[in-house]
Amino acid sequence: MAMRMPMLIVFSVRGDLCFLSHRETLTMWSRILARSGLPVCYSGGFNPHPRLSIPLPRPVGVESDEEILLVQLEGDCSASDAEGLGRMLPAGCAVQRIELPAMPVRRVPVRADYIFVREEGLPEDFWLGRLEDCRRQLQSAEPIVQRRQIPGKSGKAVDLREYAEEVSGDSERIRLRCRITPTGTLRPEEMLAWLGIGRMELAGPPQRTQVVWTHN
């Protein structure tokens, strides 16, 4: 049996590609890896699938600087063997780096920053006022409660303070730092509802940046 080894691909998502779902993103990578000729390990059975995963699914409609794709290889591979992957990617997706760790490492996300950029037509005073209101709420001891919408259910109350760690910014952009815990994290629509800003009042899609991981 060939030796199995992990490969980690860090990639970015921009533009219309950010509207792909998690499943569609995995399908995109499955097709790219099938064309690459890399020795990707497949599951057994009548309908084998490549053994790959994205440990932090990207919300639909959110751009990202550092998406991580974990791939299991069956056989030897070097970084130069994987260099051609970048040429197969669709517009809006780019490989940032490729790692070949000596052994599998479990990566657990614990924190991420989200950036919201002001649409030019939205008044600066309104934008800065919302930023200051949210900053004051986060500094107070009062709960910041929203009702989380769950399809087919009545939803549940969520205290945003459990996940919202820091909010900062200026007249052009707002940065929200969020914890990622075993119970979950904030959804982009919950962030926007708290900020009191609609997607049409943004210059582009929200951006997820600076994801912090722990290695187990």
Side-chain angles (χ1 to χ4, degrees), residues 81-215:
D81 294 331
E83 286 178 354
L85 285 174
R87 296 191 295 270
M88 301 180 186
L89 296 174
C93 186
V95 172
Q96 304 301 320
R97 66 181 185 275
I98 295 174
E99 300 177 11
L100 295 167
M103 62 180 63
V105 177
R106 183 168 177 261
R107 295 173 185 261
V108 180
V110 295
R111 184 179 296 108
D113 287 359
Y114 286 81
I115 303 295
F116 305 91
V117 180
R118 180 179 64 86
E119 172 63 40
E120 186 175 348
L122 185 68
E124 289 185 17
D125 289 348
F126 172 81
W127 181 268
L128 290 171
R130 294 306 308 139
L131 171 60
E132 186 58 32
D133 285 347
C134 292
R135 186 183 287 136
R136 282 200 298 264
Q137 288 181 51
L138 205 55
Q139 290 173 348
S140 74
E142 295 297 321
I144 308 171
V145 179
Q146 279 191 20
R147 183 156 293 277
R148 172 165 290 179
Q149 300 301 316
I150 302 175
K153 299 182 180 180
S154 60
K156 66 174 183 177
V158 176
D159 184 358
L160 273 61
R161 188 181 300 282
E162 180 181 353
Y163 305 116
E165 186 172 295
E166 178 185 331
V167 61
S168 61
D170 53 31
S171 62
E172 296 300 324
R173 61 185 58 211
I174 292 175
R175 178 180 63 85
L176 179 57
R177 175 161 292 175
C178 296
R179 300 181 189 91
I180 304 172
T181 74
T183 62
T185 188
L186 286 183
R187 300 172 180 177
E189 297 307 323
E190 294 168 343
M191 302 178 200
L192 288 169
W194 178 45
L195 293 171
I197 299 168
R199 283 185 179 263
M200 296 301 293
E201 295 170 320
L202 300 177
Q207 302 167 17
R208 185 168 71 189
T209 66
Q210 298 182 357
V211 178
V212 177
W213 304 80
T214 59
H215 300 176

Side-chain angles (χ1 to χ4, degrees), residues 1 4-9 26 29-30 33-34 39-45 47-54 69-74:
M1 179 179 293
R4 293 184 177 180
M5 62 181 296
M7 179 171 68
L8 184 148
I9 301 172
L26 286 173
W29 274 106
S30 296
L33 291 167
V40 178
C41 181
Y42 281 78
S43 62
N47 189 23
H49 297 280
R51 295 189 180 275
L52 51 86
S53 65
I54 296 176
L69 177 75
L70 299 175
V71 184
Q72 190 174 78
L73 301 177
E74 194 166 30

